[in-house]
């Protein structure tokens, strides 16, 4: 099958184009993107589409980068294609952020692509990813982050900036693209950095892929079929998972989700993974975070049982908590009416902490307790630090909060405790609670202390909380 027919068939099978589409083609000047631009210039009447181009000069290779832009501009002028071009000072951004060069280049490049899409009539961004890129992506995912999502590789199309991003060359190899360009007598620019092993993808391209091709010259084609099947299977399973998600996961707000673990456990494991993936897509924008195998596994493990309390800290200040048979994922945010986050932490190293209600708290080792720390109004509460893992912190009441009190077999709901202690209704939601590192309420400051504290030192007590 000829190059042109393979691309045409792929576009039709994946429904990448519709009559009247306005394409914005990303062109670096390299072999792949020049072939992409040429293909659509030659076939725009057949597809009944409009074509524009977009180019980014990352300013990383000095004069060579500027020459790339001039080369693309000349070709576009000769073929009556409008070019949107921009210089982005990546070296300056790198100096400020000290980040990964490739990631920053990609972020800035795609941000410009998005801006151009939004200010023009273009409805689809087109990139020149091909079958070799697909193979490399799967191999990289396999060695780094082999999740069900990452192993599907590059998709033919996805939503981008409220519009579409399509990849019509995913079915053809780089050698086929080179042959097409040679047959058409077209020139291109070679990026010298492509020959270096500095980047992970280049190392796979130069060393791993040739070994696989020596074993099976059609390995790229095999992987293309493999990813297509995975994508089709996953699309079906994700449709099922979306239905289940709406049934068992409750969204309280954009930063809080809750579900009953027993209901989650009744779902097949394949759908459990996808339920978590859907949830992560709501919480995060970064694809590396969403596709993290460690993150997926840790949340699944948290749902292995309904018994006891457990929590895991997630990226971007989210917290996943298992409590009373429920899993809650929420943003850790300071609540109105309490001290700022940096003053909430209470440990032996922090000295005095003053709460908004005027109370002062301090934790000291028992052997460091001295009369200089005490006033006539100070109250002392002794405890064993191995049972109450420090540091403590202070927050306001949340729905469902309970505290275990001496003489009781079950924790008491704080809503009931506030009623029993005659705390004014308007003060209950901002009353300071002392919280252990495991997010357990251990004291209602100025009202009741939990089971772990005593007013006289017990044999194993080694630490004291001073309330003044």
């Amino acid at each position: 099958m000829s190059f042109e027919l393979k691309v045409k068939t792929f576009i039709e099978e994946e429904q990448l184009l519709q009559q009247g589409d306005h394409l914005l083609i990303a062109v670096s000047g390299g072999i792949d993107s020049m072939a992409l631009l040429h293909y659509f210039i030659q076939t725009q009447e057949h597809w009944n589409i409009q074509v524009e181009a977009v180019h980014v000069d990352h300013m990383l290779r000095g004069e060579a980068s500027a020459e790339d832009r001039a080369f693309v501009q000349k070709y576009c002028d000769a073929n009556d294609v409008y070019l949107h071009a921009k210089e982005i000072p990546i070296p300056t951004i790198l100096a400020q952020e000290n980040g990964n060069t490739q990631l920053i280049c990609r972020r800035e490049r795609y941000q410009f692509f998005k801006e151009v899409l939004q200010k023009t009539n273009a409805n689809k961004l087109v990139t020149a990813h091909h079958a070799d890129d697909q193979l490399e992506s799967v191999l990289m995912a396999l060695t780094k982050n082999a999740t069900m999502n990452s192993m599907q590789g590059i998709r033919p199309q996805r939503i981008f900036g409220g519009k579409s991003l399509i990849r019509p060359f995913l079915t053809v190899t780089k050698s086929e693209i080179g042959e097409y360009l040679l047959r058409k007598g077209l020139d291109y620019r070679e990026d010298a950095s492509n020959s270096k092993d500095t980047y992970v993808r280049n190392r796979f391209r130069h060393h791993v892929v040739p070994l696989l091709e020596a074993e099976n010259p059609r390995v790229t084609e095999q992987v293309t079929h493999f990813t297509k099947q995975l994508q089709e299977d996953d699309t079906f399973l994700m449709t099922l998972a979306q239905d289940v998600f709406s049934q068992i996961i409750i969204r309280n707000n954009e930063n809080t989700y809750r579900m009953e673990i027993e209901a989650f456990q009744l779902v097949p494991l394949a759908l459990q993974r996808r339920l978590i993936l859907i949830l992560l897509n709501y919480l995060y924008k970064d694809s590396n975070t969403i596709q993290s195998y460690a993150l997926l596994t840790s949340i699944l493990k948290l749902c292995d049982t309904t018994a006891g309390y457990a929590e895991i800290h997630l990226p971007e200040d989210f917290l996943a908590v298992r409590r009373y048979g429920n899993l809650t994922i929420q943003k850790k945010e300071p609540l109105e009416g309490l001290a700022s986050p940096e003053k909430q932490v209470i440990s032996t190293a922090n000295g005095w902490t003053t709460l908004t209600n005027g109370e002062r708290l301090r934790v000291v080792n028992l052997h460091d307790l001295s009369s200089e720390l005490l006033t006539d109004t100070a109250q002392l509460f002794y405890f064993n630090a191995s049972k109450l893992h420090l540091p403590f912190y202070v927050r306001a009441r949340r729905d469902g909060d309970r505290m275990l009190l001496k003489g009781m077999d079950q924790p008491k709901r704080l809503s009931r405790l506030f009623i029993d202690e005659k705390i004014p209704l308007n003060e209950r939601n901002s009353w300071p609670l002392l919280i252990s590192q495991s997010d357990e309420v251990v004291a209602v400051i100025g009202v009741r202390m939990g089971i772990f504290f005593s007013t006289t030192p017990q044999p194993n007590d080694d630490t004291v909380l001073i309330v003044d």
Side-chain angles (χ1 to χ4, degrees):
M1 187 183 297
S2 69
F3 174 89
E4 290 90 341
L5 184 57
K6 285 183 73 171
V7 174
K8 178 177 181 291
T9 302
F10 184 70
I11 290 173
E12 292 172 343
E13 287 178 348
E14 298 296 333
Q15 298 180 350
L16 300 184
L17 292 178
Q18 284 76 42
Q19 295 284 317
D21 274 344
H22 190 151
L23 306 185
L24 181 67
I25 300 176
V27 186
S28 66
I31 185 170
D32 309 324
S33 63
M34 290 304 298
L36 182 72
L37 180 57
H38 180 268
Y39 172 84
F40 279 111
I41 289 173
Q42 296 299 306
T43 62
Q44 58 183 326
E45 289 187 9
H46 168 79
W47 295 114
N48 187 24
I49 57 174
Q50 297 181 60
V51 174
E52 294 184 26
V54 60
H55 173 84
V56 169
D57 176 0
H58 297 109
M59 303 177 70
L60 285 170
R61 295 179 292 114
E63 188 62 30
S65 294
E67 290 172 356
D68 290 348
R69 176 174 176 172
F71 172 79
V72 174
Q73 185 70 66
K74 182 178 179 181
Y75 183 85
C76 288
D77 291 343
N79 289 275
D80 198 26
V81 172
Y82 187 84
L83 176 66
H84 305 266
K86 182 179 182 180
E87 292 181 342
I88 299 179
I90 297 297
T92 302
I93 298 173
L94 282 171
Q96 294 170 346
E97 299 185 14
N98 194 29
N100 179 288
T101 303
Q102 278 196 319
L103 290 180
I104 290 176
C105 284
R106 186 185 188 282
R107 181 193 72 197
E108 297 297 322
R109 180 169 68 249
Y110 276 82
Q111 179 58 39
F112 177 59
F113 294 165
K114 188 178 296 184
E115 291 171 4
V116 175
L117 270 179
Q118 291 172 348
K119 74 179 183 181
T120 66
N121 292 323
N123 65 320
K124 289 179 180 176
L125 174 69
V126 192
T127 63
H129 292 92
H130 47 74
D132 293 58
D133 292 322
Q134 186 73 290
L135 171 59
E136 293 158 11
S137 295
V138 170
L139 292 173
M140 290 164 64
L142 184 64
T143 56
K144 180 183 178 183
N145 189 23
T147 66
M148 56 192 170
N149 205 37
S150 64
M151 289 302 294
Q152 294 170 39
I154 306 168
R155 289 184 174 271
Q157 60 182 318
R158 68 177 177 87
I159 300 298
F160 177 74
K163 298 186 181 182
S164 295
L165 188 160
I166 63 172
R167 299 166 173 124
F169 274 12
L170 274 183
T171 192
V172 292
T173 64
K174 192 173 187 69
S175 63
E176 289 176 308
I177 293 172
E179 291 169 3
Y180 170 78
L181 215 60
L182 182 64
R183 179 158 44 88
K184 297 296 181 180
L186 299 174
D187 199 5
Y188 61 91
R189 296 278 299 175
E190 187 63 62
D191 186 341
S193 66
N194 289 336
S195 62
K196 299 178 181 178
D197 281 349
T198 307
Y199 304 121
V200 175
R201 185 175 289 274
N202 283 2
R203 294 196 291 274
F204 275 88
R205 181 175 299 163
H206 299 155
H207 306 292
V208 180
V209 172
L211 290 175
L212 297 176
E213 289 177 335
E215 293 293 328
N216 179 7
R218 299 180 62 187
V219 65
T220 303
E221 181 182 342
Q222 296 295 332
V223 169
T224 299
H225 295 325
F226 169 70
T227 55
K228 180 176 175 59
Q229 291 171 8
L230 279 184
Q231 291 168 9
E232 291 170 344
D233 290 352
D234 189 59
T235 297
F236 172 70
L237 288 171
M238 285 298 285
T239 301
L240 295 181
Q242 287 283 2
D243 290 339
V244 176
F245 187 92
S246 63
Q247 296 171 26
I248 72 170
I249 296 182
I250 299 171
R251 184 183 187 185
N252 293 342
N253 55 58
E254 65 179 357
N255 289 327
T256 306
Y257 294 81
R258 180 171 55 83
M259 70 178 179
E260 291 185 4
I261 294 175
E262 285 186 354
F264 180 78
Q265 291 173 340
L266 293 174
V267 176
L269 183 58
L271 291 186
Q272 287 183 12
R273 296 191 188 99
R274 286 164 175 82
L275 289 174
I276 294 173
L277 183 61
I278 294 169
L279 186 55
L280 294 177
N281 269 281
Y282 279 119
L283 299 179
Y284 303 110
K285 295 181 180 179
D286 177 52
S287 60
N288 289 328
T289 302
I290 294 169
Q291 296 177 22
S292 168
Y293 176 78
L295 200 55
L296 173 70
T297 304
S298 62
I299 297 175
L300 276 175
K301 187 173 180 60
L302 202 61
C303 297
D304 279 348
T305 179
T306 60
Y309 176 94
E311 69 177 41
I312 54 173
H313 292 263
L314 308 179
E316 298 180 21
D317 287 329
F318 279 95
L319 188 68
V321 178
R322 184 185 72 228
R323 188 188 328 182
Y324 308 122
N326 287 317
L327 176 74
T328 302
I329 295 182
Q330 59 195 23
K331 192 84 166 181
K332 294 185 292 182
E333 295 177 344
L335 298 178
E336 186 178 357
L338 290 187
S340 59
E342 61 270 21
K343 292 184 178 179
Q344 285 186 11
V345 177
I346 301 167
S347 71
T348 54
N350 281 8
W352 287 102
T353 298
T354 302
L355 307 181
T356 54
N357 66 353
E359 298 269 17
R360 293 196 309 156
L361 305 182
R362 182 164 183 167
V363 174
V364 297
N365 294 320
L366 188 54
H367 58 75
D368 293 331
L369 183 62
S370 64
S371 59
E372 287 80 12
L373 296 175
L374 306 180
T375 67
D376 293 338
T377 57
Q379 296 176 285
L380 303 182
F381 300 97
Y382 302 88
F383 64 97
N384 186 322
S386 65
K387 295 181 179 179
L388 281 177
H389 301 295
L390 297 172
F392 296 137
Y393 71 98
V394 176
R395 65 163 170 80
R397 181 168 63 110
R398 295 175 184 161
D399 288 342
D401 271 343
R402 301 167 185 254
M403 183 171 69
L404 191 60
L405 301 170
K406 287 183 179 179
M408 298 184 67
D409 295 327
Q410 297 295 325
K412 185 168 185 172
R413 292 182 66 90
L414 292 194
S415 56
R416 185 71 247 177
L417 179 66
F418 280 128
I419 293 171
D420 293 345
E421 297 293 335
K422 297 180 172 54
I423 303 299
L425 183 63
N426 65 337
E427 295 180 19
R428 294 174 189 173
N429 285 336
S430 60
W431 199 277
L433 309 179
L434 191 66
I435 311 298
S436 70
Q437 194 176 35
S438 60
D439 203 40
E440 181 180 4
V441 180
V442 295
V444 180
I445 302 301
V447 178
R448 291 287 296 274
M449 305 299 289
I451 193 172
F452 298 99
F453 296 96
S454 60
T455 53
T456 57
Q458 302 302 303
N460 293 325
D461 289 344
D462 54 11
T463 315
V464 61
L465 170 69
I466 307 173
V467 180
D468 191 6

